[in-house]
């Protein structure tokens, strides 16, 4: 959630400079967290814009050895002309996470009276954790550039019948030549001074078995180029859809720790060549569709493919608009590199894995005026790849089915608002893919104005899911492994809040995990990893549009 990929990045094109500053704070200087975000963008002219953003999150943690220091910064620019268009990003991300491996005994949360001489609560910072001197560091930077050149023609803009002024013209693009390049470098290191031999925490030790200290590391370098040509939608009345053809080439280089413990790393190089196409219709009010697919031609891409599409139909009903949406996807993909190869002190594997074959279909009904959205789908997975109870990658033989259904219903009446969403999930093999059968979110509030200028929203929300064998987070690999020892869930996470909006400023105050004060304290997000106890959070965001 902190790391922003290029496809998730927001560009700004504005006739005035835009600045947004956000500051969030929770808890105190001993155990709280703070987050500062800034975003600035300015246009040089109508076509050229540039800016930067900074995001810094520092959390001290309510449990031992839980400190985090996350930082990312990016500079970006864009040029939007009639013929030439470009967006570019340079992003740098550094994430430092202290790892505690979870608490040693869940009863410190669920039954504190058994652990704290009859007290109702146990101070979170006094709860012993599995690890106390272990840290993960992830450093990633990427450069992303996408550009296109349009061929087309100019035509007169329609004018009123009595307008005698010379007609203005607009450029109508017909064909686009597209190029995208991304260069990325990532480094990961795991450092642990914990001696876990007495606790028998790790089942295996491959490198320096007599030394309890772990110094694991790996690096990745990747360059991907994509070229394409697009016939654009809407340049005349017969061009009812847009059509694109593209090809991509990616080279990836990995370094892993030497399997024999030698100083020189083990190196792996992989190449992929894909070709694909895209068909889309986005204009109009009744029917839209989009389909995109690619197939591998060379290197590790051979045998891989991915095809997905969606279609939506919109029609009037009882003075409202109803949307029917269908989605589908078929893919045959190779498991990620680090599920096939990894060398470290306590985990080592080089696997030949079958490709994971997935088919998914989904339908959705949306009625805007009723604020209703219904969604249901089914997915079949062959050779499902996961981390087993020993934190090792494994594939399930045969097929795995997942069924899901979701309903979202909001109620608005004058100052009263009530937002609701309920999801149902069912896995055909809960031993490899455990899921909470029911998850829900509800948010009830009153929204009103004070003195006609201050908007106030006063309310409370709740998150809830049925109990299930939630995964355990393994710090040495930073992956989630299945477990069947303890169930997580069946706990309503209640937060009370008040939001304020005054002109260009927004600020809030929230009581997080208020339910821990009146419900059996069973608040865990994962196996042996509890949520924060009750804490007061606050924040402010200011936008400067000048």
């Amino acid at each position: 959630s902190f790391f922003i990929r290029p496809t998730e990045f927001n560009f700004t094109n504005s006739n005035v400079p835009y600045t947004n500053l956000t500051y969030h704070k929770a808890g105190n200087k001993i155990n709280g967290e703070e987050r500062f975000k800034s975003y600035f963008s300015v246009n040089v002219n109508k076509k050229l814009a540039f800016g930067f953003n900074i995001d810094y999150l520092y959390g001290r943690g309510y449990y031992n050895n839980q400190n985090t220091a996350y930082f990312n910064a990016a500079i970006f620019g864009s040029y939007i002309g009639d013929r030439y268009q470009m967006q570019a990003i340079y992003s740098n991300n550094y994430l430092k996470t202290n790892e505690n491996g979870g608490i040693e005994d869940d009863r410190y949360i669920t039954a504190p009276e058994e652990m704290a001489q009859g007290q109702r609560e146990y101070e979170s910072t006094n709860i012993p954790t599995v690890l106390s001197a272990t840290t993960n560091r992830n450093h990633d930077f990427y450069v992303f550039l996408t550009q296109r050149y349009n061929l087309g023609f100019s035509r007169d803009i329609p004018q009123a019948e009595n307008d005698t002024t010379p007609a203005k013209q607009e450029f109508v693009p017909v064909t686009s030549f597209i190029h995208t390049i991304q260069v990325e470098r990532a480094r990961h290191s795991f450092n642990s001074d914990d001696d876990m031999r007495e606790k028998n925490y790790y089942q295996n030790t491959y490198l320096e078995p007599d030394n309890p200290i772990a110094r694991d590391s790996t690096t990745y370098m990747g360059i991907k180029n994509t070229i394409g040509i697009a016939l654009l939608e809407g340049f005349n009345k017969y061009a009812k859809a847009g059509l694109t053809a593209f090809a991509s080439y990616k080279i990836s280089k990995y370094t892993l720790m030497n399997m024999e413990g030698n100083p020189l790393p083990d190196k792996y190089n992989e190449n992929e060549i894909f070709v694909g196409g895209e068909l889309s219709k986005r204009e109009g009010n009744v029917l839209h569709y989009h389909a995109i697919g690619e197939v591998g031609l060379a290197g590790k891409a051979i045998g891989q493919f991915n095809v997905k599409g969606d279609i939506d139909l919109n029609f009037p009903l009882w003075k409202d608009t109803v949307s029917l949406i269908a989605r589908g996807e078929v893919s045959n993909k190779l498991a990620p590199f680090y599920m096939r190869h990894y060398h470290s002190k306590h985990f080592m594997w080089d696997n030949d894995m079958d490709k994971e074959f997935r088919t998914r279909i989904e339908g959705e009904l949306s009625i805007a005026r009723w604020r209703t959205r219904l969604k249901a789908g089914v997915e079949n997975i062959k050779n499902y790849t996961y981390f087993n109870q020993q934190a090792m990658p494994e594939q399930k033989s045969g097929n795995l089915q997942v069924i899901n259904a979701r309903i979202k219903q909001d109620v608005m009446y004058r100052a009263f608002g009530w937002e609701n969403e309920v999801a149902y999930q069912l896995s055909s093999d809960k031993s490899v893919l455990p899921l909470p059968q029911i998850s829900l979110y509800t948010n009830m509030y009153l929204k009103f104005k004070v003195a006609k200028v201050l908007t106030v929203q006063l309310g409370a929300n709740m998150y809830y899911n049925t109990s299930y064998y939630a995964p355990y987070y393994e710090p040495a690999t930073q992956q989630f492994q299945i477990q069947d020892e303890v169930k997580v869930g069946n706990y309503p996470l209640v937060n009370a809040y008040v939001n304020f909006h005054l002109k260009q400023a927004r600020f809030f105050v929230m009581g997080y995990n208020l339910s821990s004060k009146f419900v059996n304290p069973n608040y865990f997000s994962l196996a042996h990893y509890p949520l924060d106890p009750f804490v007061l959070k606050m924040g402010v965001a200011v936008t400067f549009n000048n």
Side-chain angles (χ1 to χ4, degrees), residues 129-132 134 192-202 212 346:
T129 56
V130 176
L131 303 173
S132 60
T134 299
S192 178
D193 293 330
D194 285 298
D195 189 344
M196 303 305 295
R197 290 174 293 189
E198 293 182 0
K199 297 182 180 181
N200 197 27
Y201 184 72
Y202 297 108
H346 298 293

Side-chain angles (χ1 to χ4, degrees), residues 450 452-456 500-507 541-542:
V450 176
K452 297 183 179 181
V453 293
L454 177 64
T455 302
V456 180
F500 303 94
H501 187 187
L502 178 63
K503 294 183 178 180
Q504 293 171 263
R506 296 177 291 112
F507 47 100
V542 182

Side-chain angles (χ1 to χ4, degrees), residues 130-145:
V130 176
L131 303 173
S132 60
T134 299
T135 303
N136 272 303
R137 286 181 170 87
N138 294 280
H139 185 200
D140 181 285
F141 85 84
Y142 64 80
V143 177
F144 176 84
L145 168 69

Side-chain angles (χ1 to χ4, degrees), residues 317-365:
L317 178 67
W318 300 324
K319 299 181 180 180
D320 196 2
T321 299
V322 176
S323 297
L324 292 175
I325 306 171
R327 303 181 183 92
E329 181 173 4
V330 180
S331 65
N332 195 47
K333 293 183 179 180
L334 190 65
F337 173 86
Y338 286 109
M339 296 192 82
R340 293 179 280 122
H341 305 282
Y342 191 64
H343 306 163
S344 68
K345 185 178 183 67
H346 298 293
F347 295 95
M348 191 169 293
W349 59 76
D350 284 287
N351 298 328
D352 291 325
M353 288 187 163
D354 294 325
K355 295 179 177 64
E356 192 176 80
F357 183 75
R358 290 176 176 247
T359 57
R360 180 181 62 88
I361 56 173
E362 181 181 81
E364 180 177 336
L365 169 66

Side-chain angles (χ1 to χ4, degrees), residues 390-534:
Q390 290 74 45
M392 300 288 289
E394 185 177 330
Q395 285 191 307
K396 171 184 168 58
S397 61
N399 295 311
L400 171 70
Q401 289 82 34
V402 180
I403 298 173
N404 68 83
R406 183 183 301 265
I407 178 171
K408 188 176 189 304
Q409 180 64 66
D410 298 341
V411 177
M412 303 292 174
Y413 180 73
R414 296 185 178 179
F416 175 76
W418 190 14
E419 302 169 356
N420 299 279
E421 188 166 5
V422 181
Y424 171 81
Q425 302 173 111
L426 183 62
S427 167
S428 63
D429 190 344
K430 297 180 181 179
S431 65
V432 300
L433 182 58
L435 296 171
Q437 191 166 349
I438 296 176
S439 303
L440 68 87
Y441 166 77
T442 183
N443 178 31
M444 188 179 296
Y445 59 85
L446 292 174
K447 188 174 182 180
F448 52 90
K449 284 186 177 292
V450 176
K452 297 183 179 181
V453 293
L454 177 64
T455 302
V456 180
Q457 186 182 29
L458 177 66
N461 58 36
M462 182 185 73
Y463 299 85
Y464 173 85
N465 60 263
T466 52
S467 62
Y468 74 113
Y469 288 110
Y472 173 74
Y473 168 71
E474 170 49 61
T477 59
Q478 290 194 299
Q479 299 300 317
F480 299 93
Q481 66 183 75
I482 60 173
Q483 58 86 28
D484 59 4
E485 296 178 357
V486 57
K487 285 191 172 183
V488 172
N490 196 28
Y491 175 80
L493 176 63
V494 177
N495 311 301
Y497 64 88
V498 56
N499 294 324
F500 303 94
H501 187 187
L502 178 63
K503 294 183 178 180
Q504 293 171 263
R506 296 177 291 112
F507 47 100
F508 76 91
V509 178
M510 171 187 283
Y512 174 81
N513 200 0
L514 185 64
S515 45
S516 64
K517 298 298 183 182
F518 55 85
V519 177
N520 287 336
N522 189 26
Y523 46 89
F524 288 84
S525 60
L526 297 169
H528 310 306
Y529 282 90
L531 297 167
D532 287 345
F534 173 76

